[in-house]
Amino acid sequence: MISRDLIFVLGGARSGKSMHAEQLANDSARPVTYIATARVAGDAEFGARIAHHRERRPAHWQLLEAPIDLAGAVTQIDAPEHCILIDCLTLWLANLLCPPEGDGLPIDRYHAHVAAFEAALLNAKGKIIVVSNEIGLGVVPLGAATRLYVDELGRLNQRIAALSTQVTMLVAGLPLALKTAGRA
């Protein structure tokens, strides 16, 4: 039996996954820290997306930005009776594989970040809600870099789903339970 309280929320773009995760965090009746993985907006449209997320969050939630060291952020703020909402793994992976400096992290450093994040989740004492996109439902993308990203996100999503006590996928705003507490 898994003793941790780890909820994984997946979905496509504009599926409602972030709103659903925010509602779960709010319903937990615990203090919430929102970990944002996005880097500073590079264009107006992405800036508007970030602003929309900020406006929707309750003002009393704490915010921690962790575009690279997600494991360190979780470890720093994790506590019993606390809720951490991580939004989202998709942007975190992009930060690791496609940093603004141009060259991605060497694959061994990328895997080290993923392993450290996985360990932080395994050792967590509080409730953690993780959001990620499901992007592997379409055609195999052209280009090696894009295929690497899609493949690595699929692998990362599988790893987090395996650790989770609950996995929900959002489609058209509707939550579909893929894994519920007590059922693998």
Side-chain angles (χ1 to χ4, degrees):
M1 181 75 172
I2 299 172
S3 61
R4 67 187 154 277
D5 191 357
L6 177 59
I7 299 172
F8 193 33
V9 180
L10 295 157
R14 298 290 186 239
S15 63
K17 64 190 173 298
S18 292
M19 279 183 36
H20 181 75
E22 291 162 5
Q23 187 62 54
L24 292 172
N26 200 49
D27 291 350
S28 76
R30 300 175 183 197
V32 176
T33 299
Y34 184 102
I35 299 179
T37 62
R39 290 191 185 271
V40 175
D43 59 64
E45 186 274 335
F46 193 62
R49 285 176 179 256
I50 291 171
H52 178 70
H53 278 256
R54 283 183 183 144
E55 291 166 5
R56 208 173 49 212
R57 289 194 301 264
H60 63 276
W61 285 9
Q62 298 297 309
L63 172 66
L64 180 61
E65 295 179 355
I68 299 294
D69 188 13
L70 193 49
V74 169
T75 301
Q76 173 189 335
I77 60 175
D78 177 47
E81 301 308 314
H82 189 82
C83 180
I84 298 172
L85 170 54
I86 301 168
D87 198 356
C88 72
L89 294 186
T90 316
L91 293 173
W92 178 61
L93 179 65
N95 296 336
L96 293 174
L97 294 179
C98 311
E101 304 83 47
D103 289 333
L105 288 176
I107 202 74
D108 58 330
R109 282 192 51 219
Y110 157 70
H111 286 296
H113 277 281
V114 172
F117 177 58
E118 190 174 9
L121 294 178
L122 282 168
N123 294 313
K125 298 168 191 69
K127 179 183 204 74
I128 300 184
I129 302 165
V130 180
V131 177
S132 187
N133 282 54
E134 175 52 69
I135 64 172
L137 298 173
V139 298
V140 175
L142 295 175
T146 308
R147 280 191 303 276
L148 173 68
Y149 180 80
V150 171
D151 290 349
E152 289 302 321
L153 184 61
R155 288 182 188 104
L156 177 60
N157 284 347
Q158 287 183 53
R159 288 173 77 164
I160 303 310
L163 296 177
S164 298
T165 51
Q166 180 181 331
V167 179
T168 302
M169 183 162 180
L170 273 284
V171 178
L174 301 173
L176 303 170
L178 303 179
K179 180 179 181 181
T180 57
R183 190 190 100 199

